[in-house]
Amino acid sequence: MVSLGYRLRASVPATGPEYQTRRFEARALAPSEGQELPIGSKAQMDLNIRGRVALVAGASAGLGEAVALALAREGVRLAVAARRIDRLEAVAARAKQLGAADARGFSLDLTDPASIAAMLDGVRSAFGDVDIVVLNGGGPKPGRFTDLTIDDWDGAYRLLLRSMLVLLDALVPAMRANGWGRIVALTSTSVKQPMETLALSNVFRTALVSALRTLADQVARDGVTVNSIATGRVDTDRLRSLYGDDQAKMREAGAGVPIGRVAQPEEFAPLVAFLCGQAASYVTGQTISIDGGLTRGLFG
């Protein structure tokens, strides 16, 4: 059975400069006969980002790895960053196999400003200006508000908010100067529906989304889009640390989701990749849920 994807091609009819309308034509793309594509990649779209420089933080496993590999299929020059450099080397090698123009791993500890600065220097030295950044990192300590210490709050601030602001401060000026950029933050459904036992995530991920929404307006006319993902229950090390590391616990985690199960990272990645592409040039300032219907709001 042949899987079909679509390539969007924009054309502007000559109807006068004040009433130019973009029309999009879809052209089917069939993979090579017998080729099997991973989950989440069968509906492929040419995102017109081949050769762009993409930086994915927290890319050694889970959501970050899945997003990095989805971008690799689009032919980007890929920088993957995390603390586990041994895992990053494997991710970079896989990215090249999938079509990345180049892929390299960079050590990154988001709680250490010196590590962030060294990673950014390394990426710029290897690739030049970053066009696409996916803001992602580990989750903070779980706990109710009254169970947390000031040290817990300080640590979560450095991990979830300050580190991301440092990355934005370093990367946004070049995006604006170059007239093109994509910023996507991987956050949590806790930004829309706070969770009692994830107080730190509720507070600092929501603060990041607020900062990004503010930034989106200021850079929109510079060709830079800024969006956030409210991540639901995805089968990652983080979810297993919260629920338990066995299949029974994963079924329990999925029981409260309308779809009836937790997601796999490969199901999550295609939408993130789309937001990094040229076709998403009119999508900015949004917080989009990928959660199997978990968020109950009308505008979730």
Side-chain angles (χ1 to χ4, degrees):
M1 183 175 179
V2 176
S3 300
L4 296 180
Y6 298 94
R7 183 189 303 275
L8 292 180
R9 184 176 61 214
S11 60
V12 182
T15 56
E18 63 271 39
Y19 294 109
Q20 291 186 339
T21 304
R22 289 191 178 272
R23 300 170 60 190
F24 292 94
E25 302 170 358
R27 179 166 64 85
L29 298 174
S32 303
E33 185 175 355
Q35 179 183 359
E36 292 185 4
L37 298 175
I39 291 173
S41 68
K42 290 186 178 179
Q44 286 194 318
M45 179 181 291
D46 185 346
L47 301 180
N48 292 315
I49 53 175
R50 185 169 299 279
R52 295 280 188 186
V53 177
L55 167 61
V56 181
S60 61
L63 298 178
E65 178 183 5
V67 170
L69 296 181
L71 291 172
R73 293 184 180 94
E74 300 298 325
V76 300
R77 291 181 289 157
L78 182 64
V80 288
R83 287 178 296 181
R84 297 161 59 185
I85 192 67
D86 57 326
R87 277 290 304 146
L88 291 177
E89 292 173 355
V91 173
R94 179 63 177 149
K96 291 177 184 177
Q97 292 174 351
L98 291 174
D102 194 0
R104 306 185 193 185
F106 298 87
S107 178
L108 172 63
D109 179 351
L110 286 169
T111 64
D112 181 358
S115 176
I116 297 173
M119 181 276 295
L120 290 169
D121 286 344
V123 172
R124 290 193 185 104
S125 177
F127 296 120
D129 291 337
V130 171
D131 302 301
I132 297 163
V133 61
V134 178
L135 303 174
N136 176 49
K141 175 183 177 179
R144 293 175 171 84
F145 191 105
T146 53
D147 297 331
L148 299 168
T149 68
I150 292 299
D151 286 343
D152 293 332
W153 289 100
D154 284 343
Y157 162 70
R158 290 193 298 272
L159 173 66
L160 298 180
L161 183 58
R162 190 183 190 282
S163 61
M164 304 305 171
L165 297 178
V166 170
L167 288 171
L168 292 169
D169 182 65
L171 299 175
V172 168
M175 291 181 181
R176 300 183 78 179
N178 295 334
W180 200 95
R182 296 289 183 268
I183 299 165
V184 182
L186 308 188
T187 67
S188 166
T189 52
S190 66
V191 307
K192 297 186 177 184
Q193 193 166 291
M195 303 176 194
E196 182 182 3
T197 59
L198 293 176
L200 295 173
S201 181
N202 296 342
V203 171
F204 291 114
R205 293 193 194 279
T206 303
L208 176 61
V209 168
S210 181
L212 292 171
R213 184 63 188 86
T214 303
L215 174 64
D217 286 350
Q218 297 178 13
V219 299
R221 297 195 180 190
D222 299 315
V224 179
T225 66
V226 185
N227 294 288
S228 301
I229 299 295
T231 307
R233 295 173 186 172
V234 184
D235 189 356
T236 61
D237 291 344
R238 169 66 171 175
L239 190 70
R240 289 176 179 269
S241 74
L242 296 173
Y243 280 87
D245 191 14
D246 61 62
Q247 290 305 310
K249 294 296 185 180
M250 287 298 96
R251 286 194 293 272
E252 179 184 331
V257 180
I259 283 182
R261 61 177 176 83
V262 300
Q264 294 302 309
E266 293 80 7
E267 297 176 281
F268 175 95
L271 179 55
V272 181
F274 174 77
L275 292 173
C276 296
Q278 186 61 35
S281 59
Y282 206 66
V283 182
T284 195
Q286 304 305 302
T287 302
I288 302 171
S289 298
I290 304 179
D291 66 356
L294 182 65
T295 305
R296 296 304 199 265
L298 290 177
F299 304 102

